[in-house]
Each structure stands twice: as C-alpha cells, then as structure tokens.
Amino acid sequence: MTLKDVLDKSTQFFKQKKIESPRLDAELLLGHALSMERMQLYLNFDRPMSEGDLSQCRELVKRRSTGEPVAYILGEKEFYGLSFKVNKDVLIPRPETEHIVDETLLWVKNNCIEGEKVKIIDLGTGSGCLAISLAKKIKNCEVVAVDISEEALVVAKKNAEINQVSSQVTFLRSDVLKLDPEVFKGACIVVSNPPYVGASDYIEAGVKAHEPHIALFAEDEGLRLIYDWSQRAINEAKGRNNFFMAFEIGDEHREKLTEFAKNKFSNLGARFVKDYSGLDRVFIVSKNS
Ligand code: GLN
C-alpha cells in the first residue's frame, strides 16, 4: 500500500463517518503520523507504507473517526498566527475568538499612547490564547491570565513559554469572583472567552464529547458568567477614565446583554461585534478619555 492509498482510504472512511472536512483531516493526521508537512505528502504519494507507518496512521484515523477533534490528536492549534499546545483540559481556540484580539488592538491603537504600559486581564484563560496573543502584539504590556482550572494553567504556561511571552504574563488560579481587587488595579483592559453555552443550546457532538465542560457550559442560558464577570470587571474599573472590556458571547445573547448593560452600566453603553458568519459574537463595553 502506498501513501496515496492510505490517504484515499482514510478520506473515504471519514466521509462515511460524516466527518466535516474528510480530506483535510486525513492529510493533517497522516502528516502528523509520518512527520511530514502536508505538501510533502503530495511529493511522496508513491512511498510504500511500512507496517509501522500503517499502525501509526491507523491509530490517529481511528481516534478522529470517533469524533475526537483534530487539534487534540495533533496536540496543537493555530490562533492569531501563533501555535498553541492543546489537550483535553482546555477549549480548542476558535477563529471567532480572534475578533477579541482585533478589537483590543484597535482600541489600544486609538486610546493608548504608543509604548505606554498597558495592563490586561484575561478571565478564564484556558489555553492562554487571548492573553498570549495580546502579550505578543502589544508593546510594553503586562497580562494577568486567570483560570480556576489548575490543569488549564499548566497548558497556558507552556504556551506562554513556547511563544516567548512568559515574562509578560502572570498566571493566577482563582475563581473570578474571588480575585483579589489588587489584581484589577491599573488594568485598562479586560478580555474573556467565558463558558457561555446554555444547557439546552445546540452543541456539536464532538465538542460535547471531548472538550472540557467547565469551559463550555454556564447557567442562565449560558449568561451567568458573562453577567457576573463583566459586572465585576466594570465595578473594579470604576473611576478609570479609559477602559475596554470585550467578552465572547453566544449568538443569541445580544438582546439580554443589551438590557443588562442598560440596567447595570447605562452610562457606558454596550456594542456588539459579529463573527465571520454574521453572528453576534463579542460584547464590548468601553470608556474612552
Ligand atoms: N464557541 C464554542 C462552541 O460553541 C463555545 C465557547 C465557549 O463556551 N466559550 O463550541
């Protein structure tokens, strides 16, 4: 059997199993099993597969066929052009979360003096993708990344090392509501991708079966932690004359959050940013001097 035969067979198998991107996934997994870039696979189509190669490939293909996400099998995922280690203890970074990085960078550009020290807090950091991308992109910034999961923080710290921002990011294990007020002192930016899936919301079977529920689900139709954490952040920022907060949200949360913002911080007002599918995805509250 050649490499091409295995690739075709795996693709066919994934199709049968209703995997969404069968060819791409087969290429990524075979590339990983054989330590080859995707491009190299094409240049080696005729390579005969040894029994060792075959068993490596078989194992990864089997895992994917049961719905395990490719990122967990590969152990990494790209986010904002950077590479992040992932495992079952952290949510896999998703492209829609990149909007938070974009919006934050834009706000910094328009509201901070170039080179000024900027302090950022990331609530529920998970893999650290938000904290680390911002630390990488903003000159002279200090990030505090908070998570309640010790296991997630192990992954996030590793990612800070890999992306060479360990000296800019401090990791804290805490419940957001129990965070020492000192942590918020001097912070002009709070970002978060909190758990926001409601108990009765639709969620892909592969996500539900493999990604950490602590990072996905929240009470009150997914809104509980968005309410509590955003309110804490806004309270702590009282008295600041410039402040920016961006939370990722579920696409059905806009109406309730508009009402919430009107009741709780009407002087600031809220705005929403859509993701690439046109769904409301980011809840932003800011104050500009
Ligand atoms: N967007 C994710 C999903 O629907 C949920 C992410 C989250 O809860 N923070 O799979």
Side-chain angles (χ1 to χ4, degrees):
M1 213 186 299
T2 65
L3 197 161
K4 183 171 185 304
D5 295 332
V6 178
L7 191 56
D8 290 343
K9 245 179 106 177
S10 308
T11 306
Q12 234 11 73
F13 182 51
F14 287 159
K15 265 189 199 152
Q16 273 168 26
K17 293 274 172 189
K18 306 258 184 295
I19 302 280
E20 219 172 88
S21 42
R23 179 72 183 189
L24 174 65
D25 289 5
E27 289 179 6
L28 290 168
L29 295 174
L30 263 55
H32 187 72
L34 303 170
S35 305
M36 281 186 191
E37 298 289 330
R38 270 171 70 209
M39 189 60 201
Q40 278 178 286
L41 294 176
Y42 281 81
L43 301 172
N44 287 282
F45 264 180
D46 297 330
R47 171 176 146 170
M49 301 285 273
S50 69
E51 203 33 61
D53 289 340
L54 283 174
S55 77
Q56 294 263 29
C57 293
R58 242 183 247 126
E59 196 207 310
L60 304 192
V61 168
K62 196 169 144 209
R63 284 171 66 184
R64 180 67 189 119
S65 72
T66 65
E68 184 172 351
V70 173
Y72 287 153
I73 304 175
L74 303 182
E76 65 184 358
K77 176 78 182 175
E78 193 206 296
F79 179 84
Y80 221 81
L82 303 169
S83 179
F84 289 86
K85 294 267 170 227
V86 290
N87 64 23
K88 61 173 179 33
D89 297 321
V90 298
L91 196 75
I92 298 166
R94 289 154 163 73
E96 52 267 34
T97 307
E98 293 181 348
H99 291 294
I100 293 189
V101 181
D102 283 337
E103 292 293 325
T104 307
L105 295 182
L106 189 63
W107 187 85
V108 167
K109 185 169 165 252
N110 293 332
N111 294 280
C112 301
I113 299 157
E114 177 134 24
E116 175 187 349
K117 183 107 191 150
V118 174
K119 182 174 174 186
I120 301 171
I121 302 178
D122 176 16
L123 303 175
T125 196
S127 65
C129 63
L130 281 174
I132 291 163
S133 308
L134 291 169
K136 200 82 191 166
K137 302 286 170 189
I138 300 172
K139 260 186 243 156
N140 203 17
C141 80
E142 172 199 348
V143 187
V144 181
V146 182
D147 208 291
I148 200 164
S149 158
E150 187 75 56
E151 293 82 6
L153 288 173
V154 170
V155 178
K157 280 180 196 164
K158 184 92 207 144
N159 282 325
E161 265 168 46
I162 293 168
N163 289 292
Q164 299 169 312
V165 291
S166 295
S167 62
Q168 286 145 272
V169 188
T170 310
F171 294 94
L172 277 184
R173 179 172 182 232
S174 176
D175 180 330
V176 170
L177 298 182
K178 293 189 187 134
L179 265 182
D180 183 343
E182 277 299 309
V183 173
F184 287 91
K185 264 216 182 113
C188 60
I189 296 172
V190 174
V191 294
S192 179
N193 175 14
Y196 61 73
V197 178
S200 58
D201 288 345
Y202 165 78
I203 180 163
E204 275 177 49
V207 174
K208 192 168 183 181
H210 295 276
E211 300 202 54
H213 286 195
I214 189 178
L216 286 168
F217 295 104
E219 289 178 9
D220 297 334
E221 298 168 320
L223 282 157
R224 190 68 263 149
L225 300 179
I226 302 177
Y227 286 152
D228 291 350
W229 295 3
S230 65
Q231 206 170 344
R232 171 95 209 255
I234 300 277
N235 278 343
E236 295 290 349
K238 247 187 219 138
R240 288 199 65 86
N241 52 16
N242 67 338
F243 176 70
F244 175 85
M245 179 186 84
F247 273 59
E248 187 167 318
I249 61 167
D251 56 1
E252 75 291 9
H253 290 150
R254 181 180 180 144
E255 209 175 304
K256 291 218 165 107
L257 286 172
T258 305
E259 197 57 30
F260 169 75
K262 211 188 283 168
N263 293 335
K264 303 288 181 185
F265 22 87
S266 57
N267 54 326
L268 297 175
R271 67 186 172 91
F272 296 86
V273 173
K274 291 188 191 304
D275 63 18
Y276 299 117
S277 321
L279 303 171
D280 288 311
R281 187 62 61 206
V282 190
F283 169 50
I284 295 178
V285 176
S286 63
K287 187 171 173 185
N288 308 329
S289 51

